[in-house]
Amino acid sequence: MVEQPSKARPTEQTPVQPRYSCEPGAPPKFDDPANPNIITNRDCPELDAEKERSHREFINCEPSGGTWDIDRQRCVYGQDRQEPPG
């Protein structure tokens, strides 16, 4: 018995998902038709994590006995502190 080829079914086309990217200096893009209010070129998990870490360190600096060094963007303790010029 010879098998008959099955009838080909038409494939369903799914919409192409937008590519989310990290372009912090570029104008915002709204390329996702399913979510027209979402900015698609601001997906920057590494940058977001660094901002969160820095913010957490800043918030916890003074309560832990340190001083925030704005030039070095870090909390300093004891002898590591720099006195303002003057």
Side-chain angles (χ1 to χ4, degrees):
M1 178 173 182
V2 176
E3 290 186 29
Q4 296 293 326
S6 63
K7 292 183 180 179
R9 294 183 191 176
T11 58
E12 292 183 25
Q13 292 187 4
T14 57
V16 175
Q17 292 295 324
R19 292 189 56 145
Y20 286 78
S21 62
C22 180
E23 303 171 46
K29 293 179 187 174
F30 300 89
D31 296 337
D32 188 352
N35 298 300
N37 296 322
I38 301 293
I39 299 173
T40 58
N41 64 335
R42 294 295 193 273
D43 187 27
C44 305
E46 295 86 11
L47 187 59
D48 294 342
E50 179 60 27
K51 286 179 184 178
E52 178 65 29
R53 184 203 58 76
S54 180
H55 180 73
R56 215 177 7 253
E57 187 177 332
F58 173 74
I59 294 298
N60 294 324
C61 184
E62 283 191 25
S64 66
T67 303
W68 187 254
D69 185 331
I70 196 161
D71 295 325
R72 293 186 278 177
Q73 292 293 302
R74 67 183 185 103
C75 193
V76 292
Y77 301 93
Q79 295 178 343
D80 204 18
R81 293 183 185 164
Q82 293 179 345
E83 294 297 321

